[in-house]
Amino acid sequence: MKTKLLLLLLFFALQVKAQTANGSEKNINNWPVHEYNLTIDYETVNVTGKTVKAMTINGGIPGPNLVFTEGEFAVINVTNKMDHETSVHWHGLILPNFYDGVPYLTTPPIEPGETFQYKFAIKQSGTYWYHSHTGLQEQRGVYGSIQINPKKQELDYDKNLVLVLSDWMDEDPASQLKNLKRGNEWYLIKKGQVQSWNKIVREKAVKAKLKMIWQRMPDFAISDNFYDRFFINGKAVQEYPQFEPGEKVRLRFVNASAASYYWLTFGGNNPMLVSADGKDVVPVAHNKTLIGVAETYDFIVTIPEDGSLEIRSMAQDGSGFATATLGTGPVQKAPIVPEPDLIQKMKEMMAMDMKMGAPASKFRPRRNDSIEVMKKYSMDMGEMKMPMGKDSEMGSMNDMKAGSTKMENGEMAGDNEKMSMKKGYMIPADKVVGDNMKTAGNPEFNYNYLKSPVKTTFDGDKPVKEMLFNLTGNMNRYVWSINGVPLSETDKIKIEQGTVARITLNNLTMMHHPMHLHGHFFRVLNENGEYSPLKHTVNVAPMQKVVIEFDASESGDWFFHCHILYHLNSGMARIFSYDTPRDERMKEHALSTLTTEANHLYSWGEITAASHMTELYATATNIRNQFSFAGELGWNKNMEAEVTYERYLNDYFRLFGGVNVENEMEDSLEDLETVAIGGVRYLLPLLINSEVRIDSKLRPQIGLFKETLIFPHIAVYGEYEYQMDFGWGNDLENGVNYQSETTWQVGLEYIFARNFALVGSYDNRFGFGGGISALF
């Protein structure tokens, strides 16, 4: 009888919980309903003189600004008029899991011709935004802003203006991602930022460059991509003459870019920064502010009495900018942030004895080695060879002021190493996994200027789950991951309600990463301690650490990922799971569609037609698998071709097998020899590709290949193969115990377009020649 009663009570409790969860999607408080209708469709646009097919929301890029007031109930109907599925994520909003908008994880995709209705209560105020979470659609125009006014205005300002920052490329984003995957340096060449050897010698950076490539690192870059334009509210130049002298305007900035950070600078008096990621902060005068991808910042400015003020949004890599002018009359110009000196930054980083090259796809994805990797690639400050004075871009240690765990899921980590730094400059050591020397270590890229007006700490008796996330990437193959494991190779990270999840984000790459957590706000631990700010997106600077923590108070699954679209779509993501039952409405939508998206098979090739030979190479590859074809045909009808399959065991090492076909004599295409081949390929230090193989006739062979840019558009390359025949698999001539064959080629390449180059080379089989090379 008691058992039946307990089961009945349990059943009743579950029903109450289920009704409460379902009720959160309903207007249970009978709040005023505020409804919007959004239509996503194709449009042709022309912003550079070239007509491009884009995606729009209600016919515009960006989509409309959605204005709500805290205490309303939002109903948003999204209609898809494209021929491809789409989605909308409400970035920074706290809402029911089902409406978060990540297709195949929390929300069904919106199929062509369908309308999906999102419903949720507006329980917050601030500046937020919305965007597609499907493929690369965000880059093509599927984004817009959200302005939620508070029930009662506490700050002193007269008007609002939302300024949406974005980046634009005429090139198909999928084509640009494929070009990054193949390791092409065209975008750095086009931006004038490639570190060719003539620049390296001129800047006396040979030692730093050699140290970089010894660690298999390509050219230093702030942004991988090339953009044709940068926008504020859809234009490179905006004017807002409607503002009157003396008016106080709340500027609500949204960085809706796919991959670009910006330096925000303002003309006139210093603006007052009053909000970050929708949350109020203690107002602070802050003129030069780096806004990361997906972050939002609110500033209050006063329109000058004697003119207008300029706002300048410059891409962090210096490749372009956009401006907006408020008011009328003479313009008070915004300060210009100098274009970064990438070679100087490389010299400084290499002088700090940094170890690079942490794997983005490691040999054993299930192995729990995050602490060992962190220690292996830590920065040894004791060995630092560069004096860090005030004039150094890396900053002075004295200027770094304001302005027991267990292993689980391969993500947990332990031992905290104490520090001897002056109190207040770094996060307390017991909050950081590992040493905290790199936490807030770069004065240019920390959050110490953000202070919450109220305490943000959690209840002291909540258990804390500590995690270490090494942010890892491979620029050569363009694979991005966390702890050396892309999303497609990992499980969900289990978290429990009632706990505090604390994450040390340890960036082991040369790129910035804006890490975004869906459905939660987290504390970004800084020198303000109990008043550390709340955010939903945090920038983790190159080779630095950031510690965040959040109250695990939700249910369902929530996405955590780098918000640089091309890093997300190359594997830098995780899923936090409260281990609650999956919503029945997601039954027909397999989660694997999301988790395997970054493991897409990309294909490309190159054909060279020259006076002495023709070459064809083709590749199809994903994170672990690669299929390749290589063929050469000389003017003397000497031919060789092979097809191979490769398996990447980690970023640098792969096994391969395949078939090779060649003729040994000139003018003898009818006399072909076919052999099976197998071996290993390995990327050596100095970015030298190497190969060791043996064929079915038991003939071993070694090969080496290297290419490097000596001038911005001119590359030199060399290829060497040496085959040995000891008679193990065939009979040699009488009296001959050993035969060998050497083939080699050296050449120059002039890259004059993204897909075309002029080539000239010497091959020891075919002699000198020249021609043209085309990528496809």
Side-chain angles (χ1 to χ4, degrees), residues 329-510:
V331 179
Q332 296 189 16
K333 291 287 189 178
I336 297 175
V337 178
E339 184 174 342
D341 185 337
L342 298 185
I343 293 179
Q344 178 62 27
K345 286 183 178 291
M346 178 188 70
K347 288 167 67 176
E348 291 175 348
M349 292 182 75
M350 292 301 99
M352 295 173 71
D353 202 28
M354 290 182 175
K355 297 177 182 177
M356 298 183 176
S361 51
K362 63 185 184 182
F363 179 59
R364 295 166 59 189
R366 302 289 177 182
R367 189 183 170 213
N368 198 350
D369 62 351
S370 56
I371 294 177
E372 295 111 82
V373 171
M374 175 192 66
K375 291 180 177 179
K376 179 179 179 180
Y377 294 96
S378 65
M379 178 171 58
D380 187 354
M381 300 296 285
E383 296 297 322
M384 189 189 305
K385 301 177 181 64
M386 182 190 69
M388 297 185 67
K390 290 185 178 180
D391 294 333
S392 166
E393 292 191 16
M394 299 305 290
S396 165
M397 285 297 176
N398 293 326
D399 293 333
M400 292 182 188
K401 50 188 176 184
S404 66
T405 55
K406 58 182 179 179
M407 306 290 288
E408 294 178 11
N409 286 329
E411 313 291 354
M412 299 289 289
D415 30 277
N416 297 304
E417 298 173 15
K418 302 299 179 181
M419 55 165 287
S420 60
M421 297 296 295
K422 195 172 178 180
K423 186 178 179 182
Y425 289 175
M426 291 289 184
I427 297 168
D430 62 351
K431 302 289 188 185
V432 186
V433 176
D435 73 274
N436 63 355
M437 187 63 72
K438 299 192 297 180
T439 1
N442 192 322
E444 199 171 27
F445 304 126
N446 65 45
Y447 287 100
N448 286 337
Y449 58 91
L450 296 180
K451 181 178 181 179
S452 171
V454 297
K455 290 183 179 181
T456 58
T457 48
F458 309 117
D459 293 341
D461 58 350
K462 285 189 175 183
V464 176
K465 177 175 182 175
E466 295 190 57
M467 290 169 270
L468 169 64
F469 285 0
N470 294 314
L471 306 183
T472 42
N474 183 326
M475 289 287 288
N476 300 299
R477 301 189 64 234
Y478 214 75
V479 175
W480 297 94
S481 58
I482 295 174
N483 286 336
V485 185
L487 177 63
S488 58
E489 298 182 355
T490 189
D491 298 323
K492 297 177 182 179
I493 300 171
K494 306 298 183 184
I495 53 176
E496 297 179 4
Q497 288 184 345
T499 63
V500 171
R502 182 182 298 141
I503 307 169
T504 296
L505 298 168
N506 182 35
N507 189 352
L508 296 179
T509 78
M510 293 191 298

Side-chain angles (χ1 to χ4, degrees), residues 115-230:
T115 297
F116 189 89
Q117 186 176 76
Y118 298 84
K119 300 178 294 182
F120 48 89
I122 303 293
K123 300 180 178 180
Q124 61 199 102
S125 63
T127 305
Y128 304 96
W129 64 299
Y130 60 96
H131 59 86
S132 172
H133 228 295
T134 300
L136 301 173
Q137 291 181 1
E138 179 191 322
Q139 178 74 85
R140 260 305 177 245
V142 188
Y143 56 86
S145 55
I146 302 172
Q147 173 185 328
I148 305 177
N149 297 316
K151 291 180 180 180
K152 182 181 178 182
Q153 182 175 313
E154 302 287 347
L155 296 170
D156 179 22
Y157 59 92
D158 302 304
K159 295 179 180 178
N160 287 283
L161 177 63
V162 177
L163 299 172
V164 179
L165 314 177
S166 60
D167 42 27
W168 173 264
M169 60 175 65
D170 282 342
E171 184 181 357
D172 183 347
S175 171
Q176 191 153 136
L177 178 56
K178 183 177 82 169
N179 211 42
L180 293 170
K181 287 280 186 180
R182 75 188 298 166
N184 190 308
E185 294 181 302
W186 173 246
Y187 302 127
L188 285 180
I189 294 173
K190 198 170 182 180
K191 290 190 288 187
Q193 296 178 350
V194 70
Q195 289 119 61
S196 51
W197 281 102
N198 71 311
K199 295 181 181 180
I200 295 296
V201 172
R202 185 176 67 231
E203 298 295 325
K204 299 179 180 178
V206 173
K207 183 179 179 181
K209 175 76 170 182
L210 289 173
K211 190 171 182 179
M212 277 269 292
I213 61 177
W214 183 261
Q215 298 180 80
R216 304 180 181 90
M217 302 299 293
D219 279 3
F220 183 83
I222 290 175
S223 175
D224 309 313
N225 303 84
F226 175 82
Y227 287 102
D228 296 283
R229 295 289 187 276
F230 297 97

Side-chain angles (χ1 to χ4, degrees), residues 11-29 73 95-99 119-121 123 497 553-555 583 585:
F11 175 78
F12 178 74
L14 289 173
Q15 289 302 304
V16 170
K17 184 176 180 180
Q19 289 170 13
T20 303
N22 289 335
S24 67
E25 298 179 7
K26 298 177 182 178
N27 191 2
I28 56 177
N29 296 312
F73 189 82
L95 39 58
N97 183 263
F98 182 68
Y99 293 125
K119 300 178 294 182
F120 48 89
K123 300 180 178 180
Q497 288 184 345
S553 58
E554 293 289 339
S555 61
D583 196 306
R585 291 168 289 185

Side-chain angles (χ1 to χ4, degrees), residues 63 65 155 181 183 229 282 289 294 484-485 503 524 545 552 561 574 639 657 686 690 722 759:
N65 181 39
L155 296 170
K181 287 280 186 180
R229 295 289 187 276
V282 174
T289 304
V485 185
I503 307 169
V524 179
K545 283 183 181 179
H561 61 90
R574 284 293 187 272
M639 185 271 285
L686 302 179
S690 68
Y722 182 71
V759 295

Side-chain angles (χ1 to χ4, degrees), residues 182 603-608 614-621 626-633 639-646 656-662 677 681 693 776:
R182 75 188 298 166
S603 59
W604 56 77
E606 179 178 5
I607 185 169
T608 300
T614 299
E615 295 177 296
L616 173 63
Y617 299 96
T619 298
T621 185
Q626 184 161 297
F627 301 89
S628 302
F629 171 83
E632 299 174 334
L633 177 63
M639 185 271 285
E640 181 177 4
E642 68 181 39
V643 178
T644 59
Y645 163 74
E646 302 172 59
F656 75 94
V659 176
N660 178 278
V661 179
E662 65 177 320
I677 56 174
R681 290 171 177 157
R693 66 161 70 179
F776 59 89

